Amino acid sequence: MSTTDFGALVKDDRVHTALYKDGAIFDEEMERIFKNTWVWVGHESEVPSANTFKKSFVGNQPVIVTRDKAGVIRTLLNRCRHRAASVCEKKKGKQSVFVCPYHGWSYDIDGGLRKVPYADGYPEGLDREEFGLIRLRTETYQGMIFATFKQDIEPLVEFLGPARKWMDLFMKQGAGFGVKVLGEHRFRFPGNWKIQLENTTDAYHFPIVHKTFLDSLDAETENIFDVIGSGGWVEDLGHGHSVMVMIPDLIDLDDNLDAPIPDRFAELAEELREEGHDEAAVRRIVRAVGGTGFNLNLFPNVACSMAFFRVLRPVGVAETEIQHVAIGMGDAKETPSPAGNRARLRLHEHFQGPMGFGTPDDAEGWERVQRGARAGDDLWIMLNRGSAAPEGRPQPGHNAGDASSEVGMRAAYQQWKRMMTA
Amino acid sequence: MSTATLTRHAISLDDATRFIWAEADILDRLDYRAWLPLWTKDGRYTIPIEHDAVDYDNQLNVAHDDEEMRQARVKRLLSGFSMSAAPPARTVRTISRFVVTAAADDLIELRSAMVLVEYKYERTRVLAGDVEFRLKRDEGVIKLDRKVVRLANCDDYLHGIGYLL
């Protein structure tokens, strides 16, 4: 165990650069944070029916998220109990049994040990109950699946707390049909995971880093994305979670359904009518297509960001993997609007992914932070912007600041400090 | 159709490879303004995420650009305001191992291999992929109608890419 005074590295308005580059701190984070809290592992639509699975991670530990025959969603460590070989190397799929390719131990989709070849080689007998795949505690909220190593942790809904209100609002982009994963962009950047964590509720960077994205939009849309001057705010939701409201008009997608359909969606509206949707559904889908007007950051590894989930996985102190999960309308069985989902996919490609108009510039910025952090041995990361609470909008009693404030980052680092010093 | 007609309208493998190498040269020189008119009006530039993808419209891609998006992309990359593209990585690519998969009047389709080396900030990376081309003769000029870049690691974690493939 490290003897570092982690508490001294996080002040109210700044954090020490060692948090980005000290490998010993990273190792402690994997133990104290990622093994002691609820960590996002997937969305229910990725395990849509009995015997489906997807691979994921809790911190840097590989897991399989499965749905068993009874519909129960589980999170299992992806290692055979015999000699530790991974039992699943497919990203996702459907199968009722995982067979370890090394010595043939087989496991049911719920993790139970099914069969051991030549079992009579264990003269004292082998207690199959004892050698199932290790199960993590797993709970869901609004279709989002979280898992934890900490069996006695508070229930997920308590951990999420006030963030649940924003998750409820976020899922309205399903336009009443539910939310379904359509695909994901995956990329890496050579930098610490907390650099990305900071980014989701950082509106300050948006007009600067994403100038070329804004320039690629029509004038009306570009105006909507004036995220700093539009009356938005950032709010500390507790437990390190925070929300950044960028477009106040798009907080609740059930509001303003009577407003005229914007010109840029006229063609989509026509396609939706051709798909057989009535006028009310057309308006609902059109309003939902661009996603919500806010980014919700859930400590430590997932964000609900406008129209997608952003998931981070710490790989090493200076290496992080990111998934941008595209979501659309539908559930396991149904895709209510192919045209609506095509529009969502094209919007996602426009900003996200390794060649999107936004992501590579974010990634470059994050990498620059890591490179610059090499300079100076006793310098601090400043998070002191925007401490004055805006009037009226946030939940009374919550710590909040204007849209460009660094309230969200301060919230995350205070949670980091609580967990690292507990 | 007579042999003479076919000869007049067909795009030969030699025509196609000259065109493809010229395009590769344009991209490595970042001469993106010269790249745009290489395309037909309805041309699509696609970089899929799933290795066996075919229904690009209904799947998520790294890029799936129509004319408008290609123009926007070029504007962005040349603007000087994109942190990932200003300064850009240097790239050197080779395209070879051509196999003609279809040919008709005024049209040829090819499969090929691409190896691209990228250099930026003390770091060299290699990207490899299969590239499918559909070339069309449009008012006598050979143009790109489809280009699908299927990276060998397309379904794995990629890095930010601040140039065109």
Side-chain angles (χ1 to χ4, degrees):
Chain A
M1 177 130 336
S2 165
T3 54
T4 305
D5 180 2
F6 296 115
L9 299 174
V10 175
K11 300 188 178 180
D12 287 347
D13 66 345
R14 67 195 69 190
V15 299
H16 199 272
T17 317
L19 264 62
Y20 293 160
K21 56 182 187 176
D22 183 334
I25 292 177
F26 179 84
D27 292 343
E28 288 293 325
E29 288 172 342
M30 293 306 102
E31 288 299 316
R32 297 184 189 214
I33 295 175
F34 283 89
K35 285 183 80 175
N36 277 296
T37 193
W38 288 106
V39 174
W40 187 91
V41 289
H43 185 265
E44 283 185 352
S45 64
E46 296 177 279
V47 283
S49 56
N51 297 331
T52 55
F53 69 91
K54 67 161 276 192
K55 277 202 308 177
S56 188
F57 284 89
V58 174
N60 48 11
Q61 303 206 31
V63 300
I64 321 166
V65 180
T66 72
R67 190 189 287 264
D68 71 17
K69 292 178 186 65
V72 177
I73 294 173
R74 297 181 195 274
T75 308
L76 312 167
L77 281 193
N78 187 7
R79 59 169 281 165
C80 179
R81 290 300 304 283
H82 174 221
R83 297 269 287 281
S86 59
V87 297
C88 176
E89 285 299 341
K90 281 199 280 187
K91 268 165 52 178
K92 58 183 180 179
K94 182 165 189 169
Q95 62 193 47
S96 60
V97 61
F98 297 103
V99 181
C100 175
Y102 197 9
H103 299 93
W105 287 33
S106 60
Y107 300 89
D108 289 315
I109 193 93
D110 65 4
L113 178 60
R114 177 186 281 203
K115 263 189 160 169
V116 172
Y118 310 109
D120 55 4
Y122 296 96
E124 67 282 17
L126 192 72
D127 181 2
R128 293 223 295 267
E129 289 293 312
E130 194 188 330
F131 289 103
L133 299 177
I134 300 288
R135 290 176 182 152
L136 275 58
R137 193 170 145 195
T138 304
E139 291 179 12
T140 66
Y141 185 77
Q142 278 284 14
M144 296 175 75
I145 310 168
F146 295 80
T148 181
F149 282 91
K150 191 174 162 66
Q151 295 292 335
D152 61 349
I153 197 173
E154 71 214 293
L156 175 66
V157 291
E158 284 178 29
F159 170 74
L160 295 170
R164 279 179 291 154
K165 167 187 137 183
W166 295 95
M167 293 167 77
D168 297 346
L169 288 166
F170 187 78
M171 299 307 167
K172 288 191 179 187
Q173 64 192 284
F177 297 105
V179 160
K180 175 183 185 173
V181 169
L182 301 177
E184 65 182 34
H185 285 126
R186 294 145 54 96
F187 67 98
R188 277 183 178 229
F189 74 96
N192 188 269
W193 64 279
K194 297 184 293 300
I195 298 169
Q196 197 274 265
L197 184 73
E198 294 167 14
N199 179 263
T200 298
T201 53
D202 175 10
Y204 190 23
H205 82 285
F206 200 93
I208 298 154
V209 171
H210 300 310
K211 178 174 168 41
T212 64
F213 168 71
L214 295 170
D215 287 348
S216 72
L217 305 173
D218 61 272
E220 188 181 7
T221 314
E222 188 176 349
N223 195 32
I224 290 170
F225 273 91
D226 178 13
V227 296
I228 291 182
S230 63
W233 70 92
V234 186
E235 184 175 340
D236 177 349
L237 302 171
H239 287 139
H241 314 319
S242 60
V243 68
M244 172 184 70
V245 176
M246 293 168 288
I247 309 168
D249 178 49
L250 293 177
I251 289 174
D252 189 334
L253 296 172
D254 285 343
D255 287 347
N256 301 324
L257 288 171
D258 295 335
I261 290 173
D263 286 349
R264 67 184 183 283
F265 291 126
E267 203 174 316
L268 172 62
E270 202 45 51
E271 273 189 274
L272 294 168
R273 289 180 195 111
E274 282 165 21
E275 280 180 351
H277 297 285
D278 63 28
E279 205 54 26
V282 168
R283 284 168 177 278
R284 211 166 179 208
I285 294 170
V286 163
R287 185 159 158 82
V289 128
T292 54
F294 58 86
N295 283 1
L296 172 69
N297 210 20
L298 299 174
F299 188 90
N301 81 322
V302 65
C304 299
S305 182
M306 288 201 77
F308 65 102
F309 300 128
R310 176 145 85 180
V311 187
L312 70 84
R313 177 166 90 83
V315 177
V317 65
E319 189 73 21
T320 304
E321 289 174 351
I322 306 290
Q323 297 165 36
H324 284 169
V325 183
I327 52 179
M329 291 160 272
D331 58 27
K333 297 173 198 70
E334 198 186 0
T335 299
S337 171
N341 280 352
R342 276 197 295 273
R344 303 266 312 189
L345 288 166
R346 299 295 89 78
L347 283 169
H348 196 81
E349 288 159 358
H350 190 160
F351 192 88
Q352 316 296 342
M355 277 178 79
F357 285 36
T359 300
D361 292 327
D362 273 330
E364 179 91 7
W366 305 338
E367 181 175 350
R368 292 282 193 107
V369 171
Q370 190 74 33
R371 292 169 69 82
R374 295 181 200 159
D377 290 328
D378 193 22
L379 290 173
W380 295 78
I381 308 296
M382 299 308 300
L383 309 166
N384 56 339
R385 188 179 165 83
S387 51
E391 292 298 313
R393 304 274 200 160
Q395 206 75 14
H398 285 197
N399 183 19
D402 73 280
S404 77
S405 76
E406 285 153 354
V407 166
M409 293 164 229
R410 294 195 286 271
Y413 280 111
Q414 289 307 314
Q415 178 72 1
W416 185 94
K417 185 173 178 173
R418 279 191 289 274
M419 297 196 75
M420 293 295 284
T421 56
Chain B
M1 184 184 300
S2 73
T3 310
T5 312
L6 194 82
T7 308
R8 198 169 70 237
H9 294 290
I11 303 172
S12 70
L13 177 60
D14 187 51
D15 293 336
T17 52
R18 282 167 192 271
F19 180 93
I20 290 165
W21 285 334
E23 190 225 356
D25 180 60
I26 283 170
L27 294 179
D28 278 342
R29 286 189 291 107
L30 310 174
D31 189 9
Y32 296 147
R33 280 188 197 92
W35 182 70
L36 288 174
L38 296 184
W39 288 85
T40 64
K41 181 102 185 112
D42 297 324
R44 278 279 192 164
Y45 171 55
T46 304
I47 304 169
I49 283 176
E50 298 300 332
H51 203 255
D52 55 358
V54 285
D55 184 9
Y56 311 117
D57 288 349
N58 290 298
Q59 280 178 291
L60 187 66
N61 305 285
V62 172
H64 188 47
D65 290 0
D66 58 12
E67 185 178 37
E68 190 183 344
M69 275 297 282
R70 284 194 301 275
Q71 284 174 355
R73 196 177 287 280
V74 164
K75 182 181 165 204
R76 169 182 131 73
L77 292 174
L78 294 180
S79 70
F81 291 109
S82 159
M83 206 189 328
S84 60
R90 291 178 201 145
T91 63
V92 177
R93 72 194 76 197
T94 57
I95 301 187
S96 189
R97 195 250 268 143
F98 295 105
V99 175
V100 177
T101 52
D105 283 0
D106 292 333
L107 182 145
I108 188 169
E109 292 184 4
L110 301 94
R111 196 167 67 216
S112 63
M114 175 174 77
V115 177
L116 181 155
V117 181
E118 166 203 319
Y119 169 78
K120 187 175 183 180
Y121 296 153
E122 307 159 6
R123 183 182 53 225
T124 301
R125 288 187 181 129
V126 176
L127 286 176
D130 293 292
V131 189
E132 294 153 27
F133 293 94
R134 184 199 292 155
L135 306 181
K136 265 187 178 173
R137 202 185 294 276
D138 184 7
E139 293 179 356
V141 180
I142 297 176
K143 294 210 164 178
L144 261 176
D145 189 52
R146 297 279 319 167
K147 180 178 177 183
V148 180
V149 182
R150 220 174 285 272
L151 293 170
N153 58 342
C154 61
D155 52 359
D156 200 350
Y157 288 88
L158 300 170
H159 290 88
I161 299 172
Y163 49 85
L164 296 180
L165 296 177

